[in-house]
PDB file of all heavy atoms in Angstrom:
ATOM      1  N   ASN A   1       5.151   9.203 -44.023  1.00 97.00           N
ATOM      2  CA  ASN A   1       5.289  10.458 -44.596  1.00 97.00           C
ATOM      3  C   ASN A   1       5.394  11.615 -43.570  1.00 97.00           C
ATOM      4  O   ASN A   1       6.315  12.530 -43.803  1.00 97.00           O
ATOM      5  CB  ASN A   1       4.085  10.769 -45.531  1.00 97.00           C
ATOM      6  CG  ASN A   1       4.135  12.120 -46.225  1.00 97.00           C
ATOM      7  OD1 ASN A   1       5.148  12.533 -46.793  1.00 97.00           O
ATOM      8  ND2 ASN A   1       3.166  12.827 -46.038  1.00 97.00           N
ATOM      9  N   LYS A   2       4.634  11.597 -42.612  1.00 96.00           N
ATOM     10  CA  LYS A   2       4.838  12.639 -41.594  1.00 96.00           C
ATOM     11  C   LYS A   2       6.171  12.580 -40.900  1.00 96.00           C
ATOM     12  O   LYS A   2       6.784  13.588 -40.539  1.00 96.00           O
ATOM     13  CB  LYS A   2       3.745  12.434 -40.480  1.00 96.00           C
ATOM     14  CG  LYS A   2       2.334  12.864 -40.973  1.00 96.00           C
ATOM     15  CD  LYS A   2       1.213  12.848 -39.851  1.00 96.00           C
ATOM     16  CE  LYS A   2      -0.060  13.303 -40.410  1.00 96.00           C
ATOM     17  NZ  LYS A   2      -1.037  13.124 -39.271  1.00 96.00           N
ATOM     18  N   ALA A   3       6.649  11.419 -40.537  1.00 97.00           N
ATOM     19  CA  ALA A   3       7.966  11.179 -39.898  1.00 97.00           C
ATOM     20  C   ALA A   3       9.139  11.734 -40.899  1.00 97.00           C
ATOM     21  O   ALA A   3      10.016  12.295 -40.344  1.00 97.00           O
ATOM     22  CB  ALA A   3       8.249   9.615 -39.536  1.00 97.00           C
ATOM     23  N   ILE A   4       9.056  11.363 -42.156  1.00 97.00           N
ATOM     24  CA  ILE A   4       9.994  11.880 -43.077  1.00 97.00           C
ATOM     25  C   ILE A   4      10.049  13.372 -43.184  1.00 97.00           C
ATOM     26  O   ILE A   4      11.031  14.017 -43.168  1.00 97.00           O
ATOM     27  CB  ILE A   4       9.788  11.178 -44.480  1.00 97.00           C
ATOM     28  CG1 ILE A   4      10.045   9.712 -44.497  1.00 97.00           C
ATOM     29  CG2 ILE A   4      10.773  11.906 -45.524  1.00 97.00           C
ATOM     30  CD1 ILE A   4       9.606   9.062 -45.752  1.00 97.00           C
ATOM     31  N   GLN A   5       8.798  13.974 -43.252  1.00 96.00           N
ATOM     32  CA  GLN A   5       8.782  15.418 -43.374  1.00 96.00           C
ATOM     33  C   GLN A   5       9.248  16.060 -42.067  1.00 96.00           C
ATOM     34  O   GLN A   5       9.863  17.132 -42.169  1.00 96.00           O
ATOM     35  CB  GLN A   5       7.209  15.862 -43.582  1.00 96.00           C
ATOM     36  CG  GLN A   5       6.600  15.334 -44.762  1.00 96.00           C
ATOM     37  CD  GLN A   5       7.334  15.716 -46.058  1.00 96.00           C
ATOM     38  OE1 GLN A   5       7.836  16.770 -46.176  1.00 96.00           O
ATOM     39  NE2 GLN A   5       7.564  14.735 -46.882  1.00 96.00           N
ATOM     40  N   THR A   6       9.157  15.417 -40.924  1.00 96.00           N
ATOM     41  CA  THR A   6       9.646  15.967 -39.615  1.00 96.00           C
ATOM     42  C   THR A   6      11.164  15.965 -39.709  1.00 96.00           C
ATOM     43  O   THR A   6      11.853  17.031 -39.377  1.00 96.00           O
ATOM     44  CB  THR A   6       9.141  15.151 -38.473  1.00 96.00           C
ATOM     45  OG1 THR A   6       7.623  15.284 -38.437  1.00 96.00           O
ATOM     46  CG2 THR A   6       9.758  15.604 -37.222  1.00 96.00           C
ATOM     47  N   VAL A   7      11.766  14.778 -39.988  1.00 97.00           N
ATOM     48  CA  VAL A   7      13.130  14.676 -39.912  1.00 97.00           C
ATOM     49  C   VAL A   7      13.973  15.396 -40.960  1.00 97.00           C
ATOM     50  O   VAL A   7      15.190  15.903 -40.823  1.00 97.00           O
ATOM     51  CB  VAL A   7      13.736  13.335 -39.809  1.00 97.00           C
ATOM     52  CG1 VAL A   7      12.994  12.514 -38.564  1.00 97.00           C
ATOM     53  CG2 VAL A   7      13.496  12.500 -41.039  1.00 97.00           C
ATOM     54  N   GLN A   8      13.251  15.504 -42.136  1.00 96.00           N
ATOM     55  CA  GLN A   8      13.963  16.068 -43.264  1.00 96.00           C
ATOM     56  C   GLN A   8      14.305  17.551 -43.099  1.00 96.00           C
ATOM     57  O   GLN A   8      15.227  18.006 -43.774  1.00 96.00           O
ATOM     58  CB  GLN A   8      13.029  15.996 -44.499  1.00 96.00           C
ATOM     59  CG  GLN A   8      13.589  16.262 -45.888  1.00 96.00           C
ATOM     60  CD  GLN A   8      12.658  16.139 -47.025  1.00 96.00           C
ATOM     61  OE1 GLN A   8      11.435  16.113 -46.823  1.00 96.00           O
ATOM     62  NE2 GLN A   8      13.167  15.951 -48.264  1.00 96.00           N
ATOM     63  N   ARG A   9      13.667  18.245 -42.154  1.00 95.00           N
ATOM     64  CA  ARG A   9      14.060  19.662 -41.967  1.00 95.00           C
ATOM     65  C   ARG A   9      15.315  19.824 -41.353  1.00 95.00           C
ATOM     66  O   ARG A   9      15.916  20.876 -41.196  1.00 95.00           O
ATOM     67  CB  ARG A   9      12.921  20.347 -41.126  1.00 95.00           C
ATOM     68  CG  ARG A   9      11.649  20.506 -41.931  1.00 95.00           C
ATOM     69  CD  ARG A   9      10.700  21.441 -41.153  1.00 95.00           C
ATOM     70  NE  ARG A   9      10.067  20.629 -40.075  1.00 95.00           N
ATOM     71  CZ  ARG A   9       8.809  20.153 -40.316  1.00 95.00           C
ATOM     72  NH1 ARG A   9       8.290  20.059 -41.459  1.00 95.00           N
ATOM     73  NH2 ARG A   9       8.289  19.328 -39.244  1.00 95.00           N
ATOM     74  N   ALA A  10      16.016  18.695 -40.881  1.00 96.00           N
ATOM     75  CA  ALA A  10      17.443  18.818 -40.359  1.00 96.00           C
ATOM     76  C   ALA A  10      18.493  18.881 -41.490  1.00 96.00           C
ATOM     77  O   ALA A  10      19.624  19.168 -41.331  1.00 96.00           O
ATOM     78  CB  ALA A  10      17.795  17.557 -39.494  1.00 96.00           C
ATOM     79  N   ILE A  11      17.961  18.501 -42.741  1.00 95.00           N
ATOM     80  CA  ILE A  11      18.967  18.356 -43.944  1.00 95.00           C
ATOM     81  C   ILE A  11      18.900  19.820 -44.546  1.00 95.00           C
ATOM     82  O   ILE A  11      17.807  20.361 -44.922  1.00 95.00           O
ATOM     83  CB  ILE A  11      18.408  17.401 -45.000  1.00 95.00           C
ATOM     84  CG1 ILE A  11      18.343  16.072 -44.303  1.00 95.00           C
ATOM     85  CG2 ILE A  11      19.275  17.396 -46.155  1.00 95.00           C
ATOM     86  CD1 ILE A  11      17.734  14.900 -45.258  1.00 95.00           C
ATOM     87  N   ILE A  12      20.065  20.515 -44.578  1.00 91.00           N
ATOM     88  CA  ILE A  12      20.182  21.713 -45.236  1.00 91.00           C
ATOM     89  C   ILE A  12      20.313  21.649 -46.759  1.00 91.00           C
ATOM     90  O   ILE A  12      20.618  20.587 -47.336  1.00 91.00           O
ATOM     91  CB  ILE A  12      21.497  22.567 -44.747  1.00 91.00           C
ATOM     92  CG1 ILE A  12      22.809  21.739 -44.996  1.00 91.00           C
ATOM     93  CG2 ILE A  12      21.269  22.762 -43.261  1.00 91.00           C
ATOM     94  CD1 ILE A  12      24.045  22.490 -44.490  1.00 91.00           C
ATOM     95  N   SER A  13      20.121  22.745 -47.465  1.00 88.00           N
ATOM     96  CA  SER A  13      20.081  22.735 -48.877  1.00 88.00           C
ATOM     97  C   SER A  13      21.475  22.286 -49.569  1.00 88.00           C
ATOM     98  O   SER A  13      21.406  21.606 -50.671  1.00 88.00           O
ATOM     99  CB  SER A  13      19.704  24.057 -49.482  1.00 88.00           C
ATOM    100  OG  SER A  13      20.680  25.061 -49.004  1.00 88.00           O
ATOM    101  N   LYS A  14      22.500  22.568 -48.963  1.00 89.00           N
ATOM    102  CA  LYS A  14      23.868  22.158 -49.332  1.00 89.00           C
ATOM    103  C   LYS A  14      24.500  21.472 -48.224  1.00 89.00           C
ATOM    104  O   LYS A  14      25.453  22.054 -47.573  1.00 89.00           O
ATOM    105  CB  LYS A  14      24.670  23.384 -49.823  1.00 89.00           C
ATOM    106  CG  LYS A  14      23.981  24.091 -51.079  1.00 89.00           C
ATOM    107  CD  LYS A  14      24.953  25.144 -51.510  1.00 89.00           C
ATOM    108  CE  LYS A  14      24.351  25.838 -52.818  1.00 89.00           C
ATOM    109  NZ  LYS A  14      25.146  27.052 -53.201  1.00 89.00           N
ATOM    110  N   PRO A  15      24.297  20.097 -48.048  1.00 90.00           N
ATOM    111  CA  PRO A  15      24.903  19.368 -47.015  1.00 90.00           C
ATOM    112  C   PRO A  15      26.425  19.463 -47.028  1.00 90.00           C
ATOM    113  O   PRO A  15      27.090  19.528 -48.061  1.00 90.00           O
ATOM    114  CB  PRO A  15      24.345  17.981 -47.185  1.00 90.00           C
ATOM    115  CG  PRO A  15      23.176  18.148 -48.032  1.00 90.00           C
ATOM    116  CD  PRO A  15      23.457  19.381 -49.004  1.00 90.00           C
ATOM    117  N   SER A  16      27.003  19.403 -45.792  1.00 87.00           N
ATOM    118  CA  SER A  16      28.471  19.408 -45.658  1.00 87.00           C
ATOM    119  C   SER A  16      29.134  18.247 -46.341  1.00 87.00           C
ATOM    120  O   SER A  16      30.270  18.351 -46.746  1.00 87.00           O
ATOM    121  CB  SER A  16      28.739  19.572 -44.166  1.00 87.00           C
ATOM    122  OG  SER A  16      28.219  18.561 -43.378  1.00 87.00           O
ATOM    123  N   THR A  17      28.513  17.111 -46.298  1.00 92.00           N
ATOM    124  CA  THR A  17      28.993  15.904 -47.024  1.00 92.00           C
ATOM    125  C   THR A  17      27.776  15.197 -47.722  1.00 92.00           C
ATOM    126  O   THR A  17      26.787  15.420 -47.314  1.00 92.00           O
ATOM    127  CB  THR A  17      29.714  14.916 -46.157  1.00 92.00           C
ATOM    128  OG1 THR A  17      28.767  14.383 -45.160  1.00 92.00           O
ATOM    129  CG2 THR A  17      30.880  15.590 -45.386  1.00 92.00           C
ATOM    130  N   PRO A  18      28.003  14.449 -48.789  1.00 94.00           N
ATOM    131  CA  PRO A  18      27.013  13.861 -49.459  1.00 94.00           C
ATOM    132  C   PRO A  18      25.994  12.979 -48.621  1.00 94.00           C
ATOM    133  O   PRO A  18      24.861  12.876 -48.877  1.00 94.00           O
ATOM    134  CB  PRO A  18      27.532  13.173 -50.630  1.00 94.00           C
ATOM    135  CG  PRO A  18      28.860  13.795 -50.907  1.00 94.00           C
ATOM    136  CD  PRO A  18      29.198  14.332 -49.532  1.00 94.00           C
ATOM    137  N   ILE A  19      26.573  12.285 -47.718  1.00 96.00           N
ATOM    138  CA  ILE A  19      25.873  11.246 -46.850  1.00 96.00           C
ATOM    139  C   ILE A  19      24.856  12.046 -46.001  1.00 96.00           C
ATOM    140  O   ILE A  19      23.750  11.513 -45.783  1.00 96.00           O
ATOM    141  CB  ILE A  19      26.758  10.555 -45.916  1.00 96.00           C
ATOM    142  CG1 ILE A  19      26.076   9.289 -45.378  1.00 96.00           C
ATOM    143  CG2 ILE A  19      27.384  11.405 -44.770  1.00 96.00           C
ATOM    144  CD1 ILE A  19      25.722   8.282 -46.349  1.00 96.00           C
ATOM    145  N   PHE A  20      24.941  13.257 -45.809  1.00 96.00           N
ATOM    146  CA  PHE A  20      23.967  14.002 -45.120  1.00 96.00           C
ATOM    147  C   PHE A  20      22.687  14.446 -45.892  1.00 96.00           C
ATOM    148  O   PHE A  20      21.844  15.081 -45.256  1.00 96.00           O
ATOM    149  CB  PHE A  20      24.583  15.201 -44.400  1.00 96.00           C
ATOM    150  CG  PHE A  20      25.351  14.994 -43.177  1.00 96.00           C
ATOM    151  CD1 PHE A  20      26.695  15.649 -42.910  1.00 96.00           C
ATOM    152  CD2 PHE A  20      25.123  14.007 -42.248  1.00 96.00           C
ATOM    153  CE1 PHE A  20      27.425  15.304 -41.745  1.00 96.00           C
ATOM    154  CE2 PHE A  20      25.838  13.708 -41.183  1.00 96.00           C
ATOM    155  CZ  PHE A  20      26.969  14.415 -40.904  1.00 96.00           C
ATOM    156  N   SER A  21      22.774  14.125 -47.112  1.00 97.00           N
ATOM    157  CA  SER A  21      21.669  14.314 -47.953  1.00 97.00           C
ATOM    158  C   SER A  21      20.568  13.112 -47.936  1.00 97.00           C
ATOM    159  O   SER A  21      19.550  13.115 -48.574  1.00 97.00           O
ATOM    160  CB  SER A  21      21.994  14.598 -49.410  1.00 97.00           C
ATOM    161  OG  SER A  21      22.629  13.404 -50.004  1.00 97.00           O
ATOM    162  N   GLY A  22      20.974  12.173 -47.168  1.00 97.00           N
ATOM    163  CA  GLY A  22      20.253  10.988 -47.044  1.00 97.00           C
ATOM    164  C   GLY A  22      19.463  10.805 -45.761  1.00 97.00           C
ATOM    165  O   GLY A  22      19.632  11.573 -44.795  1.00 97.00           O
ATOM    166  N   ILE A  23      18.486   9.946 -45.730  1.00 97.00           N
ATOM    167  CA  ILE A  23      17.573   9.589 -44.567  1.00 97.00           C
ATOM    168  C   ILE A  23      17.923   8.230 -44.096  1.00 97.00           C
ATOM    169  O   ILE A  23      18.148   7.263 -44.957  1.00 97.00           O
ATOM    170  CB  ILE A  23      16.134   9.830 -44.862  1.00 97.00           C
ATOM    171  CG1 ILE A  23      15.703  11.199 -44.909  1.00 97.00           C
ATOM    172  CG2 ILE A  23      15.304   9.067 -43.840  1.00 97.00           C
ATOM    173  CD1 ILE A  23      14.211  11.416 -45.286  1.00 97.00           C
ATOM    174  N   HIS A  24      18.214   8.130 -42.681  1.00 98.00           N
ATOM    175  CA  HIS A  24      18.710   6.874 -42.166  1.00 98.00           C
ATOM    176  C   HIS A  24      17.420   6.157 -41.576  1.00 98.00           C
ATOM    177  O   HIS A  24      16.694   6.881 -40.761  1.00 98.00           O
ATOM    178  CB  HIS A  24      19.704   7.128 -41.129  1.00 98.00           C
ATOM    179  CG  HIS A  24      20.374   5.937 -40.617  1.00 98.00           C
ATOM    180  ND1 HIS A  24      21.112   5.856 -39.408  1.00 98.00           N
ATOM    181  CD2 HIS A  24      20.403   4.637 -41.088  1.00 98.00           C
ATOM    182  CE1 HIS A  24      21.508   4.594 -39.208  1.00 98.00           C
ATOM    183  NE2 HIS A  24      21.181   3.865 -40.176  1.00 98.00           N
ATOM    184  N   VAL A  25      17.146   4.976 -42.023  1.00 98.00           N
ATOM    185  CA  VAL A  25      15.979   4.202 -41.456  1.00 98.00           C
ATOM    186  C   VAL A  25      16.446   2.979 -40.874  1.00 98.00           C
ATOM    187  O   VAL A  25      17.033   2.174 -41.439  1.00 98.00           O
ATOM    188  CB  VAL A  25      15.004   3.873 -42.641  1.00 98.00           C
ATOM    189  CG1 VAL A  25      13.771   3.112 -42.169  1.00 98.00           C
ATOM    190  CG2 VAL A  25      14.586   5.175 -43.391  1.00 98.00           C
ATOM    191  N   ILE A  26      15.972   2.831 -39.513  1.00 97.00           N
ATOM    192  CA  ILE A  26      16.376   1.700 -38.696  1.00 97.00           C
ATOM    193  C   ILE A  26      15.064   0.841 -38.325  1.00 97.00           C
ATOM    194  O   ILE A  26      14.172   1.421 -37.721  1.00 97.00           O
ATOM    195  CB  ILE A  26      17.186   2.063 -37.513  1.00 97.00           C
ATOM    196  CG1 ILE A  26      18.414   2.834 -37.902  1.00 97.00           C
ATOM    197  CG2 ILE A  26      17.651   0.816 -36.726  1.00 97.00           C
ATOM    198  CD1 ILE A  26      19.110   3.540 -36.798  1.00 97.00           C
ATOM    199  N   ALA A  27      15.068  -0.374 -38.679  1.00 97.00           N
ATOM    200  CA  ALA A  27      13.896  -1.136 -38.375  1.00 97.00           C
ATOM    201  C   ALA A  27      14.258  -2.316 -37.281  1.00 97.00           C
ATOM    202  O   ALA A  27      15.142  -3.067 -37.595  1.00 97.00           O
ATOM    203  CB  ALA A  27      13.330  -1.856 -39.697  1.00 97.00           C
ATOM    204  N   ALA A  28      13.569  -2.326 -36.329  1.00 96.00           N
ATOM    205  CA  ALA A  28      13.774  -3.214 -35.129  1.00 96.00           C
ATOM    206  C   ALA A  28      12.692  -3.160 -34.178  1.00 96.00           C
ATOM    207  O   ALA A  28      12.060  -2.059 -33.792  1.00 96.00           O
ATOM    208  CB  ALA A  28      15.147  -3.032 -34.476  1.00 96.00           C
ATOM    209  N   ASP A  29      12.177  -4.312 -33.553  1.00 94.00           N
ATOM    210  CA  ASP A  29      11.298  -4.437 -32.487  1.00 94.00           C
ATOM    211  C   ASP A  29       9.914  -3.788 -32.900  1.00 94.00           C
ATOM    212  O   ASP A  29       9.338  -3.036 -32.029  1.00 94.00           O
ATOM    213  CB  ASP A  29      11.914  -3.833 -31.183  1.00 94.00           C
ATOM    214  CG  ASP A  29      13.113  -4.568 -30.766  1.00 94.00           C
ATOM    215  OD1 ASP A  29      13.176  -5.795 -31.026  1.00 94.00           O
ATOM    216  OD2 ASP A  29      14.088  -3.847 -30.293  1.00 94.00           O
ATOM    217  N   ASN A  30       9.459  -3.970 -34.008  1.00 94.00           N
ATOM    218  CA  ASN A  30       8.261  -3.321 -34.509  1.00 94.00           C
ATOM    219  C   ASN A  30       8.122  -1.932 -34.415  1.00 94.00           C
ATOM    220  O   ASN A  30       7.106  -1.288 -34.259  1.00 94.00           O
ATOM    221  CB  ASN A  30       7.084  -4.101 -33.764  1.00 94.00           C
ATOM    222  CG  ASN A  30       6.710  -5.336 -34.283  1.00 94.00           C
ATOM    223  OD1 ASN A  30       6.927  -5.634 -35.431  1.00 94.00           O
ATOM    224  ND2 ASN A  30       6.242  -6.156 -33.436  1.00 94.00           N
ATOM    225  N   LYS A  31       9.323  -1.191 -34.514  1.00 96.00           N
ATOM    226  CA  LYS A  31       9.504   0.148 -34.555  1.00 96.00           C
ATOM    227  C   LYS A  31      10.434   0.552 -35.720  1.00 96.00           C
ATOM    228  O   LYS A  31      11.389  -0.112 -36.057  1.00 96.00           O
ATOM    229  CB  LYS A  31      10.117   0.766 -33.176  1.00 96.00           C
ATOM    230  CG  LYS A  31       9.220   0.531 -32.037  1.00 96.00           C
ATOM    231  CD  LYS A  31       8.082   1.424 -32.081  1.00 96.00           C
ATOM    232  CE  LYS A  31       7.263   1.327 -30.714  1.00 96.00           C
ATOM    233  NZ  LYS A  31       6.014   2.106 -30.715  1.00 96.00           N
ATOM    234  N   LEU A  32       9.962   1.748 -36.413  1.00 97.00           N
ATOM    235  CA  LEU A  32      10.801   2.213 -37.461  1.00 97.00           C
ATOM    236  C   LEU A  32      11.320   3.572 -36.999  1.00 97.00           C
ATOM    237  O   LEU A  32      10.511   4.522 -36.735  1.00 97.00           O
ATOM    238  CB  LEU A  32       9.982   2.364 -38.745  1.00 97.00           C
ATOM    239  CG  LEU A  32      10.606   2.346 -40.085  1.00 97.00           C
ATOM    240  CD1 LEU A  32      11.313   0.999 -40.291  1.00 97.00           C
ATOM    241  CD2 LEU A  32       9.544   2.565 -41.131  1.00 97.00           C
ATOM    242  N   GLU A  33      12.649   3.714 -36.893  1.00 97.00           N
ATOM    243  CA  GLU A  33      13.159   4.961 -36.534  1.00 97.00           C
ATOM    244  C   GLU A  33      13.700   5.652 -37.791  1.00 97.00           C
ATOM    245  O   GLU A  33      14.596   5.094 -38.481  1.00 97.00           O
ATOM    246  CB  GLU A  33      14.318   4.851 -35.520  1.00 97.00           C
ATOM    247  CG  GLU A  33      14.960   6.182 -35.007  1.00 97.00           C
ATOM    248  CD  GLU A  33      15.996   6.008 -33.898  1.00 97.00           C
ATOM    249  OE1 GLU A  33      16.232   4.857 -33.469  1.00 97.00           O
ATOM    250  OE2 GLU A  33      16.482   7.034 -33.492  1.00 97.00           O
ATOM    251  N   ILE A  34      13.288   6.954 -38.106  1.00 98.00           N
ATOM    252  CA  ILE A  34      13.785   7.629 -39.161  1.00 98.00           C
ATOM    253  C   ILE A  34      14.606   8.835 -38.597  1.00 98.00           C
ATOM    254  O   ILE A  34      14.225   9.620 -37.843  1.00 98.00           O
ATOM    255  CB  ILE A  34      12.543   8.202 -40.100  1.00 98.00           C
ATOM    256  CG1 ILE A  34      11.683   7.033 -40.564  1.00 98.00           C
ATOM    257  CG2 ILE A  34      13.060   8.995 -41.268  1.00 98.00           C
ATOM    258  CD1 ILE A  34      10.526   6.630 -39.637  1.00 98.00           C
ATOM    259  N   GLN A  35      15.789   8.951 -39.260  1.00 97.00           N
ATOM    260  CA  GLN A  35      16.745   9.916 -38.752  1.00 97.00           C
ATOM    261  C   GLN A  35      17.289  10.785 -39.889  1.00 97.00           C
ATOM    262  O   GLN A  35      17.340  10.411 -41.117  1.00 97.00           O
ATOM    263  CB  GLN A  35      17.990   9.199 -38.193  1.00 97.00           C
ATOM    264  CG  GLN A  35      17.753   8.370 -37.025  1.00 97.00           C
ATOM    265  CD  GLN A  35      18.970   7.616 -36.530  1.00 97.00           C
ATOM    266  OE1 GLN A  35      19.967   7.611 -37.250  1.00 97.00           O
ATOM    267  NE2 GLN A  35      18.861   6.936 -35.435  1.00 97.00           N
TER     268      GLN A  35
END
């Protein structure tokens, strides 16, 4: 939850393209990177 709240502030109210309204999650090597 903390990680999502941190990265979510990069998303603006009206994204330039729909894909930028999403959060990208990458799971590998016992680490979860949220973008």
Side-chain angles (χ1 to χ4, degrees):
N1 178 48
K2 285 183 178 179
I4 292 171
Q5 299 305 317
T6 296
V7 306
Q8 193 179 17
R9 287 189 285 269
I11 300 174
I12 60 177
S13 57
K14 295 181 179 179
S16 52
T17 61
I19 195 66
F20 285 141
S21 66
I23 283 179
H24 190 195
V25 181
I26 304 170
D29 302 323
N30 286 329
K31 295 288 183 182
L32 205 61
E33 184 177 356
I34 299 94
Q35 304 173 346

